[in-house]
Amino acid sequence: MKIESIHLKNFKAFQDVEIKNIPKMCVFVGANGTGKTTIFNAFSFLKDALTDNVHVALTKLGGGKGFQEVRSRNATGSIEIELKFRQNDRSPLITYSLKINEEEGRPIIEREILQYRRGSKGQPWRFLDFSKGQGQAVINEPEQITDAKELKREKHELKSPDILALKGLAQFEKFPASKAIGDLLENWHISDFHIQQARPERESSYAEHLSKEGENLAMVTEFLYKRHPDIFQEIIKKLKQRVPGISNVDSKITEEGRVLLRFKDGDFQDPFLARYVSDGTIKMFAYLVLLYDPKPHPLLCVEEPEKQLYPQLLEELAEEFRDYARRGGQVFISTHSPDFLNGCEIEEVFWLQKERGYTVVKRASEDEQIKAYMSDGDKLGYLWRQGFFAGANPQ
């Protein structure tokens, strides 16, 4: 699955922004406060709305203040989020759009639409269309239909006008578009790895996927070592290439039932516990565990991967993220590092800047000066450091 465009309107710092032709690996740069994290917030908001309802999602994102805090300052009208995506290279373009407003101090879903576009011409086929808790949805299997006249629609009324209609359809295999976006929102992952969370010994438990802050790294290591030895050996191979001297990594369960993460240096007989290993070594290992997950996330968002990593490793880390995207998972990354940006391709990079108090998004590949310098052999990180990304100086 691949997100092709995102349109945000009246959503925090984004008064009206559309990001089109999004690549499999997408990198956002910009000064503090320009809205890099807000792009990730759009997905967390949709996930919370799908899991609970729009009221709960607004309260969480707005720090308890709800709709008025999430809507762009001085804005009127509805908050709008639109995603366009494909399930695979051969599938039709699917659009999911959501408009949220307030009535009598309570948030309501003003409009929710899910539609396909079959080919490049003609009107899209609308499979879900709800407003304020009432609407209609197609009930026959969309992929077996060749003519819009064959669509069978039923009217429905939801329990509350702040509940997503998508929430129901996403549970059924016979509605592939609804299920696809439901799976995306339920299984997207944000990584904000904290070294100090990964170092301590932890009570033995079970974990298959690395958590947001990485506190379960030892448990996931144990899982990969036992259940996916081939993948685990590939991770160790990559780590050896990135961190000279490290010959192995394993986890050990103590008699007290705690899990220890251990690193083996080829020059020493006994392994080191994680608390004695450098920050850069642990973080590189954690990213490899994340990126070689046997069940990759459909969307992986990573905030500032450069923290605690040696600058010379960052270009290689960018290539690891790109490999992850090639294997099927889309990646969004925010960064303040020119060294990381040096490992990125011009089509992958967007920069954010503020204009009249709101965020605008620009694409590096559409800037003629940047394109010319890149054609002459320059790297994006050097150009960023020299001020060619207007309004987005690295900090």
Side-chain angles (χ1 to χ4, degrees), residues 47-104:
K47 180 177 181 178
D48 290 336
L50 186 69
T51 304
D52 294 298
N53 57 52
V54 165
H55 196 169
V56 170
L58 287 168
T59 301
K60 290 176 70 173
L61 183 57
K65 297 181 180 179
F67 181 84
Q68 295 300 330
E69 184 65 22
V70 175
R71 185 166 64 178
S72 302
R73 295 185 185 280
N74 302 321
T76 58
S78 57
I79 296 170
E80 300 182 23
I81 302 174
E82 182 184 86
L83 300 179
K84 293 183 179 181
F85 62 96
R86 297 182 193 274
Q87 293 171 265
N88 55 60
D89 293 339
R90 299 175 302 280
S91 64
L93 184 68
I94 301 166
T95 300
Y96 178 72
S97 60
L98 183 65
K99 293 183 180 181
I100 302 161
N101 217 322
E102 266 193 332
E103 284 190 357
E104 300 178 351

Short mmCIF file of all heavy atoms in Angstrom, two decimals, residues 47-104:
data_model
loop_
_atom_site.label_atom_id
_atom_site.label_comp_id
_atom_site.label_asym_id
_atom_site.label_seq_id
_atom_site.Cartn_x
_atom_site.Cartn_y
_atom_site.Cartn_z
N LYS A 47 -6.14 7.43 13.58
CA LYS A 47 -6.15 6.14 14.30
C LYS A 47 -7.02 6.24 15.56
O LYS A 47 -7.82 5.34 15.85
CB LYS A 47 -4.72 5.74 14.67
CG LYS A 47 -4.66 4.41 15.42
CD LYS A 47 -3.23 3.99 15.70
CE LYS A 47 -3.19 2.65 16.42
NZ LYS A 47 -1.79 2.20 16.66
N ASP A 48 -6.86 7.34 16.31
CA ASP A 48 -7.67 7.51 17.52
C ASP A 48 -9.15 7.64 17.17
O ASP A 48 -10.02 7.13 17.88
CB ASP A 48 -7.21 8.74 18.29
CG ASP A 48 -5.84 8.54 18.93
OD1 ASP A 48 -5.47 7.39 19.18
OD2 ASP A 48 -5.14 9.55 19.16
N ALA A 49 -9.45 8.33 16.07
CA ALA A 49 -10.85 8.48 15.65
C ALA A 49 -11.44 7.13 15.24
O ALA A 49 -12.61 6.86 15.51
CB ALA A 49 -10.94 9.47 14.49
N LEU A 50 -10.63 6.29 14.61
CA LEU A 50 -11.09 4.96 14.19
C LEU A 50 -11.27 4.05 15.40
O LEU A 50 -12.23 3.28 15.48
CB LEU A 50 -10.09 4.35 13.22
CG LEU A 50 -10.48 3.03 12.56
CD1 LEU A 50 -11.63 3.24 11.58
CD2 LEU A 50 -9.29 2.40 11.85
N THR A 51 -10.36 4.15 16.35
CA THR A 51 -10.41 3.29 17.54
C THR A 51 -11.54 3.71 18.48
O THR A 51 -12.27 2.86 19.01
CB THR A 51 -9.07 3.34 18.29
OG1 THR A 51 -8.02 2.96 17.41
CG2 THR A 51 -9.09 2.40 19.49
N ASP A 52 -11.69 5.02 18.70
CA ASP A 52 -12.72 5.54 19.61
C ASP A 52 -13.74 6.35 18.81
O ASP A 52 -14.66 5.81 18.25
CB ASP A 52 -12.06 6.38 20.70
CG ASP A 52 -11.19 5.55 21.62
OD1 ASP A 52 -11.73 4.66 22.28
OD2 ASP A 52 -9.97 5.80 21.69
N ASN A 53 -13.56 7.65 18.79
CA ASN A 53 -14.41 8.53 17.98
C ASN A 53 -13.69 9.85 17.78
O ASN A 53 -12.61 10.08 18.34
CB ASN A 53 -15.79 8.73 18.63
CG ASN A 53 -15.69 9.28 20.04
OD1 ASN A 53 -15.03 10.29 20.28
ND2 ASN A 53 -16.35 8.62 20.99
N VAL A 54 -14.27 10.74 16.99
CA VAL A 54 -13.62 12.00 16.66
C VAL A 54 -13.47 12.88 17.90
O VAL A 54 -12.47 13.59 18.06
CB VAL A 54 -14.42 12.72 15.56
CG1 VAL A 54 -14.01 14.18 15.45
CG2 VAL A 54 -14.20 12.03 14.22
N HIS A 55 -14.45 12.84 18.81
CA HIS A 55 -14.38 13.65 20.03
C HIS A 55 -13.14 13.28 20.85
O HIS A 55 -12.38 14.15 21.29
CB HIS A 55 -15.66 13.45 20.86
CG HIS A 55 -15.85 14.51 21.89
ND1 HIS A 55 -17.02 14.67 22.59
CD2 HIS A 55 -15.01 15.47 22.36
CE1 HIS A 55 -16.91 15.68 23.43
NE2 HIS A 55 -15.69 16.17 23.32
N VAL A 56 -12.92 11.99 21.05
CA VAL A 56 -11.76 11.53 21.80
C VAL A 56 -10.47 11.92 21.08
O VAL A 56 -9.51 12.40 21.71
CB VAL A 56 -11.82 9.99 21.99
CG1 VAL A 56 -10.49 9.47 22.56
CG2 VAL A 56 -12.97 9.61 22.91
N ALA A 57 -10.42 11.74 19.76
CA ALA A 57 -9.21 12.05 18.99
C ALA A 57 -8.86 13.54 19.08
O ALA A 57 -7.70 13.91 19.22
CB ALA A 57 -9.40 11.63 17.53
N LEU A 58 -9.87 14.40 18.99
CA LEU A 58 -9.62 15.85 19.10
C LEU A 58 -9.14 16.22 20.50
O LEU A 58 -8.26 17.07 20.65
CB LEU A 58 -10.91 16.62 18.77
CG LEU A 58 -11.32 16.65 17.29
CD1 LEU A 58 -12.74 17.19 17.16
CD2 LEU A 58 -10.35 17.51 16.48
N THR A 59 -9.71 15.60 21.51
CA THR A 59 -9.32 15.89 22.89
C THR A 59 -7.86 15.51 23.13
O THR A 59 -7.10 16.26 23.74
CB THR A 59 -10.23 15.15 23.87
OG1 THR A 59 -11.59 15.56 23.66
CG2 THR A 59 -9.84 15.47 25.31
N LYS A 60 -7.45 14.34 22.61
CA LYS A 60 -6.07 13.89 22.78
C LYS A 60 -5.09 14.79 22.04
O LYS A 60 -4.07 15.21 22.57
CB LYS A 60 -5.92 12.44 22.31
CG LYS A 60 -6.60 11.44 23.21
CD LYS A 60 -6.50 10.03 22.66
CE LYS A 60 -5.11 9.48 22.71
NZ LYS A 60 -5.06 8.05 22.33
N LEU A 61 -5.42 15.12 20.79
CA LEU A 61 -4.50 15.94 19.99
C LEU A 61 -4.50 17.39 20.45
O LEU A 61 -3.45 18.05 20.39
CB LEU A 61 -4.91 15.86 18.51
CG LEU A 61 -4.00 16.60 17.52
CD1 LEU A 61 -2.56 16.11 17.62
CD2 LEU A 61 -4.52 16.44 16.10
N GLY A 62 -5.62 17.87 20.96
CA GLY A 62 -5.71 19.26 21.37
C GLY A 62 -5.35 19.49 22.82
O GLY A 62 -5.65 20.57 23.35
N GLY A 63 -4.70 18.53 23.45
CA GLY A 63 -4.28 18.73 24.84
C GLY A 63 -5.45 18.97 25.77
O GLY A 63 -5.33 19.75 26.73
N GLY A 64 -6.58 18.32 25.49
CA GLY A 64 -7.75 18.48 26.34
C GLY A 64 -8.69 19.58 25.90
O GLY A 64 -9.83 19.67 26.37
N LYS A 65 -8.24 20.45 24.97
CA LYS A 65 -9.07 21.59 24.53
C LYS A 65 -9.90 21.27 23.30
O LYS A 65 -10.78 22.03 22.93
CB LYS A 65 -8.18 22.80 24.28
CG LYS A 65 -7.45 23.28 25.52
CD LYS A 65 -6.59 24.50 25.22
CE LYS A 65 -5.85 24.97 26.47
NZ LYS A 65 -5.00 26.15 26.20
N GLY A 66 -9.60 20.17 22.63
CA GLY A 66 -10.44 19.69 21.55
C GLY A 66 -10.40 20.47 20.26
O GLY A 66 -9.34 20.96 19.84
N PHE A 67 -11.56 20.62 19.64
CA PHE A 67 -11.68 21.13 18.27
C PHE A 67 -11.01 22.49 18.08
O PHE A 67 -10.26 22.69 17.11
CB PHE A 67 -13.17 21.24 17.92
CG PHE A 67 -13.44 21.75 16.54
CD1 PHE A 67 -13.42 20.89 15.45
CD2 PHE A 67 -13.72 23.09 16.32
CE1 PHE A 67 -13.68 21.36 14.16
CE2 PHE A 67 -13.97 23.58 15.04
CZ PHE A 67 -13.94 22.71 13.97
N GLN A 68 -11.24 23.42 18.98
CA GLN A 68 -10.72 24.78 18.80
C GLN A 68 -9.20 24.82 18.85
O GLN A 68 -8.58 25.69 18.24
CB GLN A 68 -11.31 25.71 19.86
CG GLN A 68 -12.81 25.91 19.74
CD GLN A 68 -13.22 26.52 18.41
OE1 GLN A 68 -12.47 27.27 17.79
NE2 GLN A 68 -14.42 26.18 17.93
N GLU A 69 -8.58 23.89 19.54
CA GLU A 69 -7.12 23.85 19.61
C GLU A 69 -6.52 23.18 18.39
O GLU A 69 -5.41 23.51 17.97
CB GLU A 69 -6.67 23.12 20.88
CG GLU A 69 -5.16 23.11 21.11
CD GLU A 69 -4.57 24.49 21.36
OE1 GLU A 69 -5.32 25.41 21.77
OE2 GLU A 69 -3.35 24.66 21.13
N VAL A 70 -7.23 22.23 17.78
CA VAL A 70 -6.72 21.51 16.61
C VAL A 70 -6.94 22.34 15.34
O VAL A 70 -6.08 22.36 14.46
CB VAL A 70 -7.39 20.13 16.48
CG1 VAL A 70 -6.94 19.43 15.20
CG2 VAL A 70 -7.07 19.27 17.71
N ARG A 71 -8.06 23.04 15.26
CA ARG A 71 -8.30 23.87 14.08
C ARG A 71 -7.28 25.01 14.03
O ARG A 71 -6.94 25.60 15.04
CB ARG A 71 -9.72 24.43 14.08
CG ARG A 71 -10.04 25.22 12.81
CD ARG A 71 -11.52 25.48 12.64
NE ARG A 71 -12.07 26.33 13.70
CZ ARG A 71 -13.35 26.72 13.74
NH1 ARG A 71 -14.18 26.33 12.78
NH2 ARG A 71 -13.79 27.46 14.73
N SER A 72 -6.80 25.31 12.84
CA SER A 72 -5.80 26.36 12.65
C SER A 72 -6.26 27.67 13.29
O SER A 72 -7.45 28.01 13.26
CB SER A 72 -5.54 26.59 11.16
OG SER A 72 -5.12 25.41 10.52
N ARG A 73 -5.32 28.39 13.84
CA ARG A 73 -5.63 29.65 14.50
C ARG A 73 -6.27 30.63 13.51
O ARG A 73 -5.81 30.75 12.37
CB ARG A 73 -4.37 30.26 15.12
CG ARG A 73 -3.78 29.43 16.23
CD ARG A 73 -2.60 30.11 16.90
NE ARG A 73 -1.98 29.24 17.89
CZ ARG A 73 -2.42 29.05 19.12
NH1 ARG A 73 -3.51 29.69 19.53
NH2 ARG A 73 -1.80 28.25 19.96
N ASN A 74 -7.29 31.33 13.98
CA ASN A 74 -8.01 32.33 13.19
C ASN A 74 -8.77 31.74 12.00
O ASN A 74 -9.24 32.48 11.14
CB ASN A 74 -7.07 33.44 12.69
CG ASN A 74 -6.34 34.14 13.82
OD1 ASN A 74 -6.93 34.40 14.87
ND2 ASN A 74 -5.07 34.45 13.60
N ALA A 75 -8.85 30.40 11.94
CA ALA A 75 -9.55 29.76 10.82
C ALA A 75 -11.03 29.62 11.13
O ALA A 75 -11.46 29.58 12.29
CB ALA A 75 -8.95 28.40 10.54
N THR A 76 -11.82 29.57 10.08
CA THR A 76 -13.24 29.24 10.19
C THR A 76 -13.51 28.03 9.31
O THR A 76 -12.70 27.66 8.47
CB THR A 76 -14.12 30.42 9.73
OG1 THR A 76 -13.78 30.74 8.36
CG2 THR A 76 -13.90 31.64 10.60
N GLY A 77 -14.63 27.41 9.51
CA GLY A 77 -14.95 26.24 8.69
C GLY A 77 -14.42 24.96 9.31
O GLY A 77 -13.93 24.92 10.43
N SER A 78 -14.52 23.89 8.54
CA SER A 78 -14.22 22.55 9.05
C SER A 78 -12.74 22.23 8.97
O SER A 78 -11.99 22.80 8.18
CB SER A 78 -15.02 21.51 8.26
OG SER A 78 -14.72 21.62 6.87
N ILE A 79 -12.32 21.29 9.83
CA ILE A 79 -11.01 20.64 9.70
C ILE A 79 -11.16 19.57 8.63
O ILE A 79 -12.11 18.78 8.66
CB ILE A 79 -10.60 20.00 11.04
CG1 ILE A 79 -10.41 21.06 12.12
CG2 ILE A 79 -9.32 19.17 10.87
CD1 ILE A 79 -10.25 20.48 13.52
N GLU A 80 -10.22 19.52 7.69
CA GLU A 80 -10.33 18.56 6.60
C GLU A 80 -9.04 17.75 6.45
O GLU A 80 -7.94 18.31 6.49
CB GLU A 80 -10.64 19.28 5.27
CG GLU A 80 -11.93 20.06 5.30
CD GLU A 80 -12.24 20.73 3.98
OE1 GLU A 80 -11.72 20.27 2.94
OE2 GLU A 80 -13.01 21.73 3.98
N ILE A 81 -9.21 16.45 6.30
CA ILE A 81 -8.09 15.54 6.04
C ILE A 81 -8.48 14.67 4.86
O ILE A 81 -9.56 14.07 4.85
CB ILE A 81 -7.77 14.64 7.25
CG1 ILE A 81 -7.44 15.50 8.49
CG2 ILE A 81 -6.62 13.70 6.94
CD1 ILE A 81 -7.26 14.68 9.75
N GLU A 82 -7.60 14.61 3.86
CA GLU A 82 -7.86 13.75 2.71
C GLU A 82 -6.61 12.95 2.39
O GLU A 82 -5.52 13.51 2.28
CB GLU A 82 -8.26 14.58 1.49
CG GLU A 82 -8.58 13.74 0.26
CD GLU A 82 -8.89 14.59 -0.96
OE1 GLU A 82 -7.93 14.98 -1.66
OE2 GLU A 82 -10.08 14.87 -1.18
N LEU A 83 -6.78 11.64 2.24
CA LEU A 83 -5.70 10.75 1.84
C LEU A 83 -6.06 10.09 0.52
O LEU A 83 -7.20 9.63 0.33
CB LEU A 83 -5.48 9.64 2.89
CG LEU A 83 -5.10 10.04 4.31
CD1 LEU A 83 -4.95 8.80 5.17
CD2 LEU A 83 -3.82 10.86 4.33
N LYS A 84 -5.10 10.06 -0.39
CA LYS A 84 -5.26 9.29 -1.62
C LYS A 84 -4.20 8.20 -1.62
O LYS A 84 -3.02 8.48 -1.36
CB LYS A 84 -5.10 10.19 -2.86
CG LYS A 84 -6.22 11.22 -2.99
CD LYS A 84 -6.08 12.04 -4.27
CE LYS A 84 -7.23 13.02 -4.39
NZ LYS A 84 -7.15 13.84 -5.63
N PHE A 85 -4.61 6.97 -1.93
CA PHE A 85 -3.67 5.85 -1.83
C PHE A 85 -4.06 4.75 -2.80
O PHE A 85 -5.18 4.72 -3.33
CB PHE A 85 -3.63 5.31 -0.40
CG PHE A 85 -4.93 4.75 0.10
CD1 PHE A 85 -5.19 3.39 0.03
CD2 PHE A 85 -5.90 5.58 0.64
CE1 PHE A 85 -6.39 2.87 0.49
CE2 PHE A 85 -7.12 5.07 1.09
CZ PHE A 85 -7.35 3.71 1.02
N ARG A 86 -3.13 3.84 -3.02
CA ARG A 86 -3.37 2.63 -3.80
C ARG A 86 -2.98 1.42 -2.96
O ARG A 86 -1.99 1.47 -2.22
CB ARG A 86 -2.55 2.63 -5.10
CG ARG A 86 -2.90 3.75 -6.06
CD ARG A 86 -2.08 3.64 -7.34
NE ARG A 86 -2.19 4.85 -8.15
CZ ARG A 86 -3.16 5.06 -9.03
NH1 ARG A 86 -4.08 4.15 -9.22
NH2 ARG A 86 -3.20 6.20 -9.72
N GLN A 87 -3.73 0.35 -3.12
CA GLN A 87 -3.39 -0.88 -2.40
C GLN A 87 -2.16 -1.56 -3.01
O GLN A 87 -1.39 -2.19 -2.32
CB GLN A 87 -4.58 -1.83 -2.40
CG GLN A 87 -5.75 -1.30 -1.58
CD GLN A 87 -6.99 -2.14 -1.76
OE1 GLN A 87 -7.85 -1.83 -2.57
NE2 GLN A 87 -7.07 -3.23 -1.01
N ASN A 88 -1.99 -1.42 -4.32
CA ASN A 88 -0.79 -1.90 -5.01
C ASN A 88 -0.68 -1.12 -6.32
O ASN A 88 -1.52 -0.27 -6.63
CB ASN A 88 -0.84 -3.42 -5.24
CG ASN A 88 -2.08 -3.84 -6.00
OD1 ASN A 88 -2.32 -3.41 -7.13
ND2 ASN A 88 -2.89 -4.70 -5.38
N ASP A 89 0.38 -1.41 -7.09
CA ASP A 89 0.64 -0.64 -8.31
C ASP A 89 -0.47 -0.77 -9.34
O ASP A 89 -0.63 0.10 -10.21
CB ASP A 89 1.97 -1.08 -8.92
CG ASP A 89 3.16 -0.70 -8.05
OD1 ASP A 89 3.00 0.22 -7.23
OD2 ASP A 89 4.23 -1.33 -8.19
N ARG A 90 -1.24 -1.84 -9.28
CA ARG A 90 -2.27 -2.10 -10.30
C ARG A 90 -3.68 -1.72 -9.84
O ARG A 90 -4.60 -1.78 -10.63
CB ARG A 90 -2.25 -3.58 -10.70
CG ARG A 90 -0.93 -4.05 -11.30
CD ARG A 90 -0.91 -5.53 -11.57
NE ARG A 90 -1.15 -6.31 -10.37
CZ ARG A 90 -0.22 -6.57 -9.46
NH1 ARG A 90 1.01 -6.11 -9.63
NH2 ARG A 90 -0.50 -7.29 -8.40
N SER A 91 -3.83 -1.35 -8.60
CA SER A 91 -5.17 -1.09 -8.07
C SER A 91 -5.58 0.36 -8.35
O SER A 91 -4.75 1.23 -8.60
CB SER A 91 -5.19 -1.35 -6.56
OG SER A 91 -4.32 -0.46 -5.89
N PRO A 92 -6.89 0.63 -8.32
CA PRO A 92 -7.35 1.99 -8.58
C PRO A 92 -6.98 2.95 -7.46
O PRO A 92 -6.71 2.53 -6.33
CB PRO A 92 -8.88 1.82 -8.66
CG PRO A 92 -9.17 0.60 -7.86
CD PRO A 92 -7.99 -0.31 -8.07
N LEU A 93 -6.97 4.23 -7.78
CA LEU A 93 -6.71 5.26 -6.78
C LEU A 93 -7.92 5.38 -5.86
O LEU A 93 -9.06 5.49 -6.32
CB LEU A 93 -6.44 6.60 -7.46
CG LEU A 93 -6.04 7.75 -6.54
CD1 LEU A 93 -4.68 7.50 -5.92
CD2 LEU A 93 -6.04 9.07 -7.32
N ILE A 94 -7.67 5.34 -4.56
CA ILE A 94 -8.72 5.42 -3.55
C ILE A 94 -8.57 6.74 -2.80
O ILE A 94 -7.45 7.12 -2.42
CB ILE A 94 -8.64 4.24 -2.58
CG1 ILE A 94 -8.77 2.91 -3.33
CG2 ILE A 94 -9.70 4.34 -1.50
CD1 ILE A 94 -8.37 1.70 -2.51
N THR A 95 -9.67 7.42 -2.58
CA THR A 95 -9.65 8.68 -1.83
C THR A 95 -10.52 8.53 -0.59
O THR A 95 -11.69 8.10 -0.67
CB THR A 95 -10.19 9.84 -2.68
OG1 THR A 95 -9.37 10.00 -3.84
CG2 THR A 95 -10.15 11.14 -1.89
N TYR A 96 -9.94 8.89 0.56
CA TYR A 96 -10.69 8.94 1.80
C TYR A 96 -10.63 10.38 2.31
O TYR A 96 -9.55 10.92 2.52
CB TYR A 96 -10.12 7.99 2.85
CG TYR A 96 -10.87 8.06 4.18
CD1 TYR A 96 -12.15 7.54 4.30
CD2 TYR A 96 -10.29 8.66 5.29
CE1 TYR A 96 -12.85 7.61 5.49
CE2 TYR A 96 -10.99 8.73 6.50
CZ TYR A 96 -12.26 8.21 6.60
OH TYR A 96 -12.96 8.29 7.77
N SER A 97 -11.80 11.00 2.47
CA SER A 97 -11.82 12.39 2.93
C SER A 97 -12.73 12.52 4.14
O SER A 97 -13.77 11.87 4.24
CB SER A 97 -12.27 13.32 1.80
OG SER A 97 -13.56 12.99 1.35
N LEU A 98 -12.32 13.40 5.04
CA LEU A 98 -13.02 13.59 6.30
C LEU A 98 -13.09 15.08 6.61
O LEU A 98 -12.07 15.78 6.58
CB LEU A 98 -12.27 12.85 7.42
CG LEU A 98 -12.88 12.85 8.81
CD1 LEU A 98 -14.20 12.10 8.83
CD2 LEU A 98 -11.91 12.24 9.82
N LYS A 99 -14.30 15.57 6.89
CA LYS A 99 -14.50 16.96 7.30
C LYS A 99 -15.14 16.95 8.69
O LYS A 99 -16.15 16.27 8.91
CB LYS A 99 -15.41 17.70 6.32
CG LYS A 99 -14.80 17.91 4.94
CD LYS A 99 -15.74 18.71 4.06
CE LYS A 99 -15.15 18.93 2.68
NZ LYS A 99 -16.05 19.74 1.80
N ILE A 100 -14.56 17.73 9.60
CA ILE A 100 -15.02 17.76 10.99
C ILE A 100 -15.35 19.19 11.37
O ILE A 100 -14.57 20.11 11.08
CB ILE A 100 -13.95 17.20 11.94
CG1 ILE A 100 -13.59 15.76 11.53
CG2 ILE A 100 -14.40 17.26 13.38
CD1 ILE A 100 -12.28 15.30 12.07
N ASN A 101 -16.49 19.39 12.03
CA ASN A 101 -16.86 20.71 12.48
C ASN A 101 -17.49 20.62 13.87
O ASN A 101 -17.48 19.53 14.47
CB ASN A 101 -17.81 21.38 11.48
CG ASN A 101 -17.55 22.86 11.34
OD1 ASN A 101 -17.26 23.54 12.32
ND2 ASN A 101 -17.68 23.37 10.12
N GLU A 102 -18.03 21.71 14.34
CA GLU A 102 -18.68 21.74 15.65
C GLU A 102 -20.13 22.18 15.52
O GLU A 102 -20.45 23.04 14.69
CB GLU A 102 -17.95 22.72 16.59
CG GLU A 102 -16.91 22.10 17.46
CD GLU A 102 -16.46 23.05 18.56
OE1 GLU A 102 -16.51 24.27 18.36
OE2 GLU A 102 -16.03 22.55 19.61
N GLU A 103 -20.97 21.58 16.32
CA GLU A 103 -22.35 22.02 16.47
C GLU A 103 -22.70 22.04 17.95
O GLU A 103 -22.54 21.02 18.63
CB GLU A 103 -23.32 21.11 15.71
CG GLU A 103 -23.32 21.32 14.21
CD GLU A 103 -24.46 20.58 13.51
OE1 GLU A 103 -25.20 19.84 14.21
OE2 GLU A 103 -24.58 20.72 12.28
N GLU A 104 -23.12 23.20 18.43
CA GLU A 104 -23.48 23.36 19.84
C GLU A 104 -22.36 22.91 20.76
O GLU A 104 -22.59 22.26 21.79
CB GLU A 104 -24.78 22.61 20.14
CG GLU A 104 -25.96 23.09 19.32
CD GLU A 104 -27.23 22.31 19.61
OE1 GLU A 104 -27.14 21.28 20.33
OE2 GLU A 104 -28.30 22.73 19.13
#
